[in-house]
């Protein structure tokens, strides 16, 4: 009986406070839409970051003092290093073929000989393709044999990490700001509902109703506001990506689509969580202050 009463009160309270609830849902809707758009771009950005890290190459040039057997042994040892995804031994002939493919010129025909050194090309697992991780691997490689020279694009790798940290800081700060604003809005609406029914709440306390019994309908009311905002926001983001972007920017759609599929249900759950959290804080604060009067 008490549970059904709580649920009925939660739904009826949402209907009674239509104007404040409508304002809160509307503002929360826009906040969650903005959060959904930024979250989709952020997730896609991190996917692109992982892809860029997976393409980072480190090249180990082998001196003439190493025999083919020694070169093969060094290659095998490098493959066993932590974080190394791929290590490919490149002979002089293969290096000349790569040069010809990339530049359209035969280096042997131009110079009369092949000056290109043998090398080992390394690729790392994305989580290890970071400046600090690679900096720790370089001494291990140079210690494997004499006459080894390690080269990689440190500037490019550093820019990837710097841009990633900056983007994470900006999107994280913006997401936190939007989430806090949504919690405050929902909490404010619930506080208005509590004040408008303070005589009823006082009567319930006098007849022995517990704080949980009094406050639960308002938490349900906040949850309804949050889930409605989340549903509307998910629908709006869906229209942006699945209709507008798919029609006018298909290339961008292909990049963002995998992340958007995660964001749609995420917005609904986030709206519900923020609604419950905001209303719980508001109800708890109100009941604590009411008990001191």
């Amino acid at each position: 009986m008490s549970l059904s009463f709580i649920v009925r009160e939660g739904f009826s309270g949402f209907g009674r406070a239509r104007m404040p609830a409508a304002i809160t849902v509307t503002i929360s809707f826009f906040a969650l839409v903005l959060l959904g758009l930024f979250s989709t771009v952020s997730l896609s950005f991190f996917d692109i970051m992982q892809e860029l890290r997976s393409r980072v190459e480190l090249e180990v040039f082998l001196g003439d003092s190493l025999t083919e057997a020694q070169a093969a042994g060094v290659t095998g040892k490098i493959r066993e290093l932590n974080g190394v995804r791929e290590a490919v031994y490149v002979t002089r002939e293969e290096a000349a073929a790569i040069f010809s493919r990339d530049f359209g010129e035969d280096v042997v025909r131009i110079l009369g000989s092949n000056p290109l050194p043998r090398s080992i090309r390394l690729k790392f697992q994305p989580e290890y393709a970071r400046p600090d991780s690679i900096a720790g691997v370089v001494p291990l490689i140079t210690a494997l044999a004499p006459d080894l020279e390690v080269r990689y694009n440190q500037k490019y790798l550093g820019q990837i990490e710097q841009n990633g940290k900056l983007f994470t800081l900006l999107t994280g700060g913006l997401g936190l700001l939007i989430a806090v604003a949504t919690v405050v809005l929902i909490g404010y609406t619930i506080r208005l509902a509590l004040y408008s029914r303070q005589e009823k709440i006082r009567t319930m306390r006098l007849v022995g109703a517990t704080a949980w019994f009094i406050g639960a309908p308002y938490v349900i009311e906040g949850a309804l506001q949050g889930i409605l905002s989340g549903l509307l926001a998910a629908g709006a983001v869906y229209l942006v990506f699945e209709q507008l972007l798919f029609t006018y920017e298909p290339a961008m759609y292909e990049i963002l689509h995998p992340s958007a599929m995660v964001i749609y249900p995420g917005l609904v759950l986030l709206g519900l969580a923020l609604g419950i959290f905001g209303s719980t804080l508001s109800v708890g604060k109100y009941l604590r202050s009411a008990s001191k009067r």
Side-chain angles (χ1 to χ4, degrees):
M1 175 68 82
S2 60
L3 181 60
S4 62
F5 171 79
I6 289 170
V7 174
R8 285 199 310 272
E9 279 294 299
F11 278 86
S12 62
F14 184 78
R16 283 194 296 265
R18 292 176 184 174
M19 183 57 70
I23 294 173
T24 300
V25 168
T26 301
I27 298 175
S28 300
F29 159 74
F30 285 110
L32 288 173
V33 167
L34 186 60
L35 186 60
L37 294 175
F38 271 93
S39 299
T40 304
V41 173
S42 299
L43 289 176
S44 299
F45 177 80
F46 292 129
D47 290 340
I48 293 172
M49 287 280 293
Q50 290 294 89
E51 178 64 23
L52 291 174
R53 288 192 183 110
S54 68
R55 295 183 182 182
V56 170
E57 284 192 358
L58 185 147
E59 198 160 10
V60 182
F61 293 99
L62 308 177
D64 294 334
S65 62
L66 269 69
T67 65
E68 289 295 320
Q70 289 174 324
V74 170
T75 304
K77 291 177 181 179
I78 289 175
R79 287 196 186 103
E80 296 174 358
L81 292 176
N82 195 28
V84 175
R85 176 167 58 92
E86 181 182 299
V88 178
Y89 175 56
V90 181
T91 64
R92 292 179 185 274
E93 292 75 18
E94 290 170 338
I98 293 171
F99 183 92
S100 177
R101 183 192 66 200
D102 292 344
F103 298 101
E105 298 288 349
D106 187 347
V107 68
V108 177
R109 183 179 59 79
I110 295 172
L111 301 177
S113 62
N114 184 2
L116 300 175
R118 298 169 299 166
S119 65
I120 303 170
R121 291 189 171 182
L122 279 69
K123 288 186 177 181
F124 293 87
Q125 297 171 6
E127 60 270 22
Y128 286 91
R130 301 174 182 272
D132 53 347
S133 300
I134 293 181
V137 170
V138 170
L140 300 177
I141 294 174
T142 55
L144 293 175
D147 206 12
L148 296 180
E149 182 182 356
V150 179
R151 293 182 187 176
Y152 65 99
N153 195 334
Q154 290 177 287
K155 185 177 180 181
Y156 169 75
L157 192 60
Q159 286 177 340
I160 291 177
E161 295 305 312
Q162 184 178 0
N163 292 336
K165 289 178 181 178
L166 178 62
F167 193 82
T168 301
L169 183 63
L170 290 175
T171 55
L174 180 62
L176 180 61
L177 181 64
I178 293 173
V180 170
T182 305
V183 168
V184 170
L185 284 168
I186 293 174
Y188 177 73
T189 305
I190 298 301
R191 183 67 64 86
L192 288 177
L194 287 163
Y195 277 113
S196 67
R197 296 167 228 166
Q198 55 185 341
E199 291 301 325
K200 181 179 180 180
I201 293 172
R202 186 179 293 110
T203 302
M204 293 175 70
R205 292 178 70 89
L206 288 174
V207 298
T210 63
W212 179 87
F213 187 82
I214 295 171
Y218 301 98
V219 175
I220 292 175
E221 187 176 335
L224 289 173
Q225 293 177 12
I227 199 170
L228 181 57
S229 302
L231 284 169
L232 293 173
V237 174
Y238 175 86
L239 290 176
V240 170
F241 287 114
E242 304 298 331
Q243 300 299 322
L244 295 178
L245 205 63
F246 178 76
T247 303
Y248 298 105
E249 290 291 341
M252 186 67 70
Y253 171 81
E254 290 296 327
I255 296 173
L256 298 176
H257 178 67
S259 299
M261 295 302 293
V262 178
I263 294 300
Y264 300 145
L267 283 175
V268 179
L269 294 175
L270 180 61
L272 175 62
L274 293 178
I276 292 173
F277 184 64
S279 56
T280 300
L281 287 178
S282 185
V283 168
K285 187 175 181 179
Y286 175 84
L287 293 178
R288 283 194 299 272
S289 63
S291 63
K292 295 177 182 178
R293 298 190 200 123

